[in-house]
PDB file of all heavy atoms in Angstrom:
ATOM      1  N   LEU A 913     -18.490  -6.039 -34.017  1.00  0.00           N
ATOM      2  CA  LEU A 913     -18.290  -6.966 -32.901  1.00  0.00           C
ATOM      3  C   LEU A 913     -16.817  -7.209 -32.641  1.00  0.00           C
ATOM      4  O   LEU A 913     -16.352  -7.135 -31.490  1.00  0.00           O
ATOM      5  CB  LEU A 913     -19.003  -8.296 -33.189  1.00  0.00           C
ATOM      6  CG  LEU A 913     -18.917  -9.349 -32.074  1.00  0.00           C
ATOM      7  CD1 LEU A 913     -19.576  -8.809 -30.803  1.00  0.00           C
ATOM      8  CD2 LEU A 913     -19.591 -10.643 -32.514  1.00  0.00           C
ATOM      9  N   VAL A 914     -16.058  -7.490 -33.699  1.00  0.00           N
ATOM     10  CA  VAL A 914     -14.623  -7.759 -33.549  1.00  0.00           C
ATOM     11  C   VAL A 914     -13.886  -6.516 -33.063  1.00  0.00           C
ATOM     12  O   VAL A 914     -13.035  -6.586 -32.167  1.00  0.00           O
ATOM     13  CB  VAL A 914     -14.022  -8.241 -34.890  1.00  0.00           C
ATOM     14  CG1 VAL A 914     -12.496  -8.337 -34.803  1.00  0.00           C
ATOM     15  CG2 VAL A 914     -14.615  -9.589 -35.277  1.00  0.00           C
ATOM     16  N   LYS A 915     -14.230  -5.385 -33.643  1.00  0.00           N
ATOM     17  CA  LYS A 915     -13.544  -4.131 -33.299  1.00  0.00           C
ATOM     18  C   LYS A 915     -13.677  -3.821 -31.816  1.00  0.00           C
ATOM     19  O   LYS A 915     -12.684  -3.500 -31.148  1.00  0.00           O
ATOM     20  CB  LYS A 915     -14.117  -2.987 -34.144  1.00  0.00           C
ATOM     21  CG  LYS A 915     -13.484  -1.640 -33.849  1.00  0.00           C
ATOM     22  CD  LYS A 915     -13.932  -0.595 -34.864  1.00  0.00           C
ATOM     23  CE  LYS A 915     -15.418  -0.335 -34.805  1.00  0.00           C
ATOM     24  NZ  LYS A 915     -15.837   0.743 -35.732  1.00  0.00           N
ATOM     25  N   TYR A 916     -14.894  -3.916 -31.302  1.00  0.00           N
ATOM     26  CA  TYR A 916     -15.082  -3.558 -29.896  1.00  0.00           C
ATOM     27  C   TYR A 916     -14.645  -4.665 -28.947  1.00  0.00           C
ATOM     28  O   TYR A 916     -14.363  -4.393 -27.772  1.00  0.00           O
ATOM     29  CB  TYR A 916     -16.528  -3.146 -29.646  1.00  0.00           C
ATOM     30  CG  TYR A 916     -16.829  -1.795 -30.262  1.00  0.00           C
ATOM     31  CD1 TYR A 916     -17.731  -1.659 -31.314  1.00  0.00           C
ATOM     32  CD2 TYR A 916     -16.179  -0.652 -29.805  1.00  0.00           C
ATOM     33  CE1 TYR A 916     -17.986  -0.422 -31.888  1.00  0.00           C
ATOM     34  CE2 TYR A 916     -16.422   0.585 -30.376  1.00  0.00           C
ATOM     35  CZ  TYR A 916     -17.321   0.695 -31.417  1.00  0.00           C
ATOM     36  OH  TYR A 916     -17.545   1.925 -31.985  1.00  0.00           O
ATOM     37  N   ALA A 917     -14.558  -5.891 -29.438  1.00  0.00           N
ATOM     38  CA  ALA A 917     -13.993  -6.969 -28.614  1.00  0.00           C
ATOM     39  C   ALA A 917     -12.504  -6.723 -28.376  1.00  0.00           C
ATOM     40  O   ALA A 917     -11.952  -7.134 -27.344  1.00  0.00           O
ATOM     41  CB  ALA A 917     -14.208  -8.323 -29.290  1.00  0.00           C
ATOM     42  N   LYS A 918     -11.864  -6.038 -29.318  1.00  0.00           N
ATOM     43  CA  LYS A 918     -10.432  -5.741 -29.180  1.00  0.00           C
ATOM     44  C   LYS A 918     -10.162  -4.419 -28.453  1.00  0.00           C
ATOM     45  O   LYS A 918      -9.005  -4.058 -28.238  1.00  0.00           O
ATOM     46  CB  LYS A 918      -9.771  -5.698 -30.571  1.00  0.00           C
ATOM     47  CG  LYS A 918      -9.679  -7.066 -31.240  1.00  0.00           C
ATOM     48  CD  LYS A 918      -8.846  -7.014 -32.510  1.00  0.00           C
ATOM     49  CE  LYS A 918      -9.545  -6.317 -33.645  1.00  0.00           C
ATOM     50  NZ  LYS A 918      -8.792  -6.400 -34.917  1.00  0.00           N
ATOM     51  N   ARG A 919     -11.209  -3.706 -28.070  1.00  0.00           N
ATOM     52  CA  ARG A 919     -11.013  -2.413 -27.434  1.00  0.00           C
ATOM     53  C   ARG A 919     -10.178  -2.480 -26.149  1.00  0.00           C
ATOM     54  O   ARG A 919      -9.350  -1.591 -25.902  1.00  0.00           O
ATOM     55  CB  ARG A 919     -12.354  -1.745 -27.145  1.00  0.00           C
ATOM     56  CG  ARG A 919     -12.930  -0.970 -28.337  1.00  0.00           C
ATOM     57  CD  ARG A 919     -11.992   0.176 -28.753  1.00  0.00           C
ATOM     58  NE  ARG A 919     -12.582   1.024 -29.755  1.00  0.00           N
ATOM     59  CZ  ARG A 919     -12.329   0.997 -31.052  1.00  0.00           C
ATOM     60  NH1 ARG A 919     -11.450   0.104 -31.529  1.00  0.00           N
ATOM     61  NH2 ARG A 919     -12.905   1.819 -31.894  1.00  0.00           N
ATOM     62  N   PRO A 920     -10.382  -3.495 -25.284  1.00  0.00           N
ATOM     63  CA  PRO A 920      -9.517  -3.552 -24.085  1.00  0.00           C
ATOM     64  C   PRO A 920      -8.034  -3.612 -24.435  1.00  0.00           C
ATOM     65  O   PRO A 920      -7.208  -2.975 -23.762  1.00  0.00           O
ATOM     66  CB  PRO A 920      -9.981  -4.838 -23.381  1.00  0.00           C
ATOM     67  CG  PRO A 920     -11.404  -5.002 -23.813  1.00  0.00           C
ATOM     68  CD  PRO A 920     -11.432  -4.534 -25.227  1.00  0.00           C
ATOM     69  N   LEU A 921      -7.686  -4.345 -25.501  1.00  0.00           N
ATOM     70  CA  LEU A 921      -6.288  -4.418 -25.937  1.00  0.00           C
ATOM     71  C   LEU A 921      -5.816  -3.060 -26.450  1.00  0.00           C
ATOM     72  O   LEU A 921      -4.678  -2.646 -26.194  1.00  0.00           O
ATOM     73  CB  LEU A 921      -6.122  -5.475 -27.032  1.00  0.00           C
ATOM     74  CG  LEU A 921      -6.209  -6.936 -26.610  1.00  0.00           C
ATOM     75  CD1 LEU A 921      -6.127  -7.838 -27.840  1.00  0.00           C
ATOM     76  CD2 LEU A 921      -5.090  -7.277 -25.623  1.00  0.00           C
ATOM     77  N   LEU A 922      -6.679  -2.384 -27.178  1.00  0.00           N
ATOM     78  CA  LEU A 922      -6.330  -1.066 -27.708  1.00  0.00           C
ATOM     79  C   LEU A 922      -6.087  -0.072 -26.578  1.00  0.00           C
ATOM     80  O   LEU A 922      -5.102   0.685 -26.595  1.00  0.00           O
ATOM     81  CB  LEU A 922      -7.446  -0.557 -28.628  1.00  0.00           C
ATOM     82  CG  LEU A 922      -7.285   0.848 -29.209  1.00  0.00           C
ATOM     83  CD1 LEU A 922      -5.986   0.976 -29.986  1.00  0.00           C
ATOM     84  CD2 LEU A 922      -8.470   1.215 -30.091  1.00  0.00           C
ATOM     85  N   PHE A 923      -6.964  -0.078 -25.589  1.00  0.00           N
ATOM     86  CA  PHE A 923      -6.783   0.817 -24.445  1.00  0.00           C
ATOM     87  C   PHE A 923      -5.504   0.472 -23.682  1.00  0.00           C
ATOM     88  O   PHE A 923      -4.749   1.367 -23.281  1.00  0.00           O
ATOM     89  CB  PHE A 923      -7.987   0.733 -23.503  1.00  0.00           C
ATOM     90  CG  PHE A 923      -9.110   1.659 -23.876  1.00  0.00           C
ATOM     91  CD1 PHE A 923     -10.261   1.181 -24.493  1.00  0.00           C
ATOM     92  CD2 PHE A 923      -9.017   3.010 -23.610  1.00  0.00           C
ATOM     93  CE1 PHE A 923     -11.299   2.036 -24.833  1.00  0.00           C
ATOM     94  CE2 PHE A 923     -10.051   3.881 -23.945  1.00  0.00           C
ATOM     95  CZ  PHE A 923     -11.198   3.393 -24.562  1.00  0.00           C
ATOM     96  N   ALA A 924      -5.269  -0.836 -23.479  1.00  0.00           N
ATOM     97  CA  ALA A 924      -4.076  -1.255 -22.736  1.00  0.00           C
ATOM     98  C   ALA A 924      -2.807  -0.817 -23.454  1.00  0.00           C
ATOM     99  O   ALA A 924      -1.869  -0.291 -22.830  1.00  0.00           O
ATOM    100  CB  ALA A 924      -4.076  -2.773 -22.545  1.00  0.00           C
ATOM    101  N   ALA A 925      -2.776  -1.013 -24.777  1.00  0.00           N
ATOM    102  CA  ALA A 925      -1.601  -0.622 -25.564  1.00  0.00           C
ATOM    103  C   ALA A 925      -1.413   0.898 -25.538  1.00  0.00           C
ATOM    104  O   ALA A 925      -0.289   1.403 -25.418  1.00  0.00           O
ATOM    105  CB  ALA A 925      -1.744  -1.112 -26.994  1.00  0.00           C
ATOM    106  N   THR A 926      -2.518   1.631 -25.654  1.00  0.00           N
ATOM    107  CA  THR A 926      -2.453   3.099 -25.649  1.00  0.00           C
ATOM    108  C   THR A 926      -1.901   3.617 -24.327  1.00  0.00           C
ATOM    109  O   THR A 926      -1.003   4.469 -24.304  1.00  0.00           O
ATOM    110  CB  THR A 926      -3.852   3.700 -25.892  1.00  0.00           C
ATOM    111  OG1 THR A 926      -4.344   3.252 -27.165  1.00  0.00           O
ATOM    112  CG2 THR A 926      -3.807   5.218 -25.890  1.00  0.00           C
ATOM    113  N   PHE A 927      -2.421   3.109 -23.227  1.00  0.00           N
ATOM    114  CA  PHE A 927      -1.970   3.572 -21.910  1.00  0.00           C
ATOM    115  C   PHE A 927      -0.532   3.152 -21.631  1.00  0.00           C
ATOM    116  O   PHE A 927       0.237   3.927 -21.048  1.00  0.00           O
ATOM    117  CB  PHE A 927      -2.908   3.062 -20.819  1.00  0.00           C
ATOM    118  CG  PHE A 927      -4.105   3.929 -20.607  1.00  0.00           C
ATOM    119  CD1 PHE A 927      -5.219   3.820 -21.428  1.00  0.00           C
ATOM    120  CD2 PHE A 927      -4.117   4.884 -19.604  1.00  0.00           C
ATOM    121  CE1 PHE A 927      -6.325   4.634 -21.254  1.00  0.00           C
ATOM    122  CE2 PHE A 927      -5.214   5.706 -19.411  1.00  0.00           C
ATOM    123  CZ  PHE A 927      -6.329   5.585 -20.236  1.00  0.00           C
ATOM    124  N   LEU A 928      -0.157   1.951 -22.030  1.00  0.00           N
ATOM    125  CA  LEU A 928       1.216   1.492 -21.806  1.00  0.00           C
ATOM    126  C   LEU A 928       2.209   2.352 -22.574  1.00  0.00           C
ATOM    127  O   LEU A 928       3.211   2.829 -22.017  1.00  0.00           O
ATOM    128  CB  LEU A 928       1.358   0.031 -22.223  1.00  0.00           C
ATOM    129  CG  LEU A 928       2.780  -0.569 -22.123  1.00  0.00           C
ATOM    130  CD1 LEU A 928       3.276  -0.522 -20.691  1.00  0.00           C
ATOM    131  CD2 LEU A 928       2.786  -1.991 -22.673  1.00  0.00           C
TER     132      LEU A 928
END
Side-chain angles (χ1 to χ4, degrees):
L913 182 61
V914 172
K915 179 171 63 176
Y916 288 114
K918 290 188 287 186
R919 276 298 187 259
L921 287 176
L922 177 57
F923 273 104
T926 300
F927 275 82
L928 176 61

